[in-house]
Every structure is written in structure tokens, then in C-alpha cells.
Amino acid sequence: MSWLQRLRIDKFLLVLILVVIIASLFPCEGGWKIFFAHLTTAAIALLFFMHGAKLSRTAVIAGMSHWRLHLVVFLSTFALFPLLGLAMNLLVPGVMTPTVYLGFLYLCALPATVQSSIAFTSAAGGNVAAAICSASASSILGVFLSPLLVGALMHTQGGDTDVLQAIGAIMLQLIVPFVVGHLMRPLIGKWVDRHRKLINITDRSSILLVVYSAFSAAIVENLWHKIDGWSLLTILMMSLLLLAVVMMVNTYAARWLGFDTADEITIVFCGSKKSLANGIPMANVLFPAATVGVLVLPLMIFHQVQLMVCALLAQRYAGKMAKQRAILDATK
């Protein structure tokens, strides 16, 4: 096992950091800026087209009957997180800057991840079918709900996000490709399923392209004069605190509502994630190019924090599930 695996560091995050460094040293300007803007728009459309093509209706329908679990995950993703985001306003400007705070508000409005939510649920011994349904539903609903939440949350902070314009952009660049991709699944679904690795490379390449364009624009606007070492440390500590609070609430809510351990695992992992794959492209659509780099910094750091914490928690849950199975086998 490599040192990256032992430290639970996401290799893709290291690539993202490298892209940020490249953008800081060699930002695209002039004609290249226009070229990358058009290329980024096409890449985002392709990304969401593939998201739609990958979505299996069978997997979603299989878990729909567990509506109480899905409701808890939905409330965690689209209610608990936004409320905690608003509560963070108490820390401005004493602990965090207004710019960093807006980044956290954006993070709190995003849907859950799909792949890592399912992967951690599976590794921990949770209800995988329900995780597939919850994570997929969150991703789909997030395309519609997140722009509305962003507009509502940032409006309360005096932001100038144009909700109608944002919805129009989301419809054109995200929802239309997503729906077209899903409608074409009967034709291309088998090819997509056979070439998952190639699709994942396409997804990640699109994200890297968006990050390079966003940070190039931010560097031109003096990003590193707005974000210093203290701000980065604040983002890290607040990400840990936010994740800890959400996981604690989800854990006790699952137990209070009478869910078994397998369902509790699903609720904890699906209700505590925020999607980097959806968040970065969506930010590129919702916000001016010069502000995207600053706003996605909390998301990038939270992404790594959630992977490290959930990897450790999945091991503990797996041990607990193994003990429960051993006790059950012994009583037979």
C-alpha cells in the first residue's frame, strides 16, 4: 500500500492542486481565455451527458421503496447543510472572511456524491441498494435544487446571484445534456457500462479543465491576495467541524428513527457528502469566471476531508457489522 493510500489522500486532489499551481504560474489570457471558455462549456455539457447516460433506472427503482431513509438523506443534504451554512455567518468576519464564507454557502447547497457514497457504504457493510438510489436521486435533484439554494442563500447575504439567469444557464448547459444522455441510454448504455474507466477519465478531465479556467481567471484577479495561509487553515478546520456536525446529527437521527445499522451507514455516508464532480462545473455556470476559483476552494478541501474521514469511519462500521454477523451466526 502506497503512502498516499495510508494517508487516505485522494490522488485526484493532488492533480487538482497541480492544475491550480499551473494556473497560478501560467494563467490563460487574451485569445486563449476565449478558447478555454468555449472548451470548458463543451466539456461541462459532455460531463453531464455522460452522467445521464450512466444513470441506471433499474438501480434507482430498486431502492425507491425505502422512502424514509431517502427522506432523511434528502433533508441532510438540502436542509441541514444549508442551515449550518447560514449559521456560519456568526463567524464572519472574526474567524473567516466573507469570501470564504460564500464558498461554504455554495458548498452547503450542493448535492451528494454518487460514487464515493456508494463505495463507502459498500465497504462499511451498509444498504448498497438504498445508497445507489439516494445518491443518484441527490445528484439528479441537485441539478434543479442547487441553483435555487445558491440564489436563496447568497441573496440573504446581499449577493447579486440572478436566480432566473442561473436556472436558464443550468437548463442549457447541464439539464439538457443530462436528459439527452439518459434518454440515449438504451442506445449507448451498454457501451458506457463497458467503458467506465474511459468515462471516468473524461469526467475528471472535464473537471481539471474547469479548474484551470476558473483559477486562471481568479489569478488575473489576484486570488492569492484574497486567500492567505490563515484562510486555508480556516477552511480546513471549518470543513472538519461541518462534517463532524452533519455526521453526528445523521447518526443520532438514524438511531432515534429506529433504522438498523446497515441503514444508519447509508444515511451517514450519503447524507454527509458534497459532490466535487457536480460542484465545480456548476460553479462555472453560476458565477463570474473571476470568482469561481475562490468559491470552490472550500469544496476542494472539504472533498479531501470527507474522503479521509469516511475511509476511517467505514473501517469502524465494517468491524461493527462483522461482530453483529458473528453474533447472529452464533445464535442460529
Side-chain angles (χ1 to χ4, degrees), residues 17-75:
I17 294 172
L18 178 61
V19 170
V20 171
I21 293 172
I22 293 173
S24 299
L25 297 175
F26 308 104
C28 58
E29 300 182 75
W32 283 108
K33 179 179 179 181
I34 298 173
F35 169 76
F36 273 99
H38 291 301
L39 186 61
T40 299
T41 299
I44 291 172
L46 177 62
L47 174 68
F48 278 82
F49 175 84
M50 290 302 178
H51 279 200
K54 287 190 295 183
L55 181 63
S56 170
R57 272 174 256 185
T58 303
V60 174
I61 293 172
M64 278 187 177
S65 60
H66 213 343
W67 64 269
R68 290 176 65 246
L69 182 148
H70 304 318
L71 179 61
V72 175
V73 173
F74 175 85
L75 291 174

Side-chain angles (χ1 to χ4, degrees), residues 23 33 40 54 56 102 105 124 138 147 158 162 167 175 177 179 185 198 206 216 229 238 240 256 281 287 293 297 319:
K33 179 179 179 181
T40 299
K54 287 190 295 183
S56 170
L102 288 177
L105 273 184
S138 176
D162 189 330
I167 292 175
I175 294 178
V179 172
R185 181 170 172 78
L198 177 61
S206 300
S216 290
M238 294 308 303
L240 284 166
W256 180 68
F287 306 113
L297 267 178

Side-chain angles (χ1 to χ4, degrees), residues 21 38 71 107 132 144 167 171 181 196 240 258 293 301 303 322:
I21 293 172
H38 291 301
L71 179 61
L107 181 158
I132 292 172
F144 299 89
I167 292 175
M171 287 289 295
R196 288 278 178 172
L240 284 166
I301 294 175
H303 171 77

Side-chain angles (χ1 to χ4, degrees), residues 151-170:
L153 292 175
M154 293 193 173
H155 178 71
T156 64
Q157 307 305 315
D160 58 357
T161 304
D162 189 330
V163 178
L164 292 178
Q165 184 178 357
I167 292 175
I170 288 288

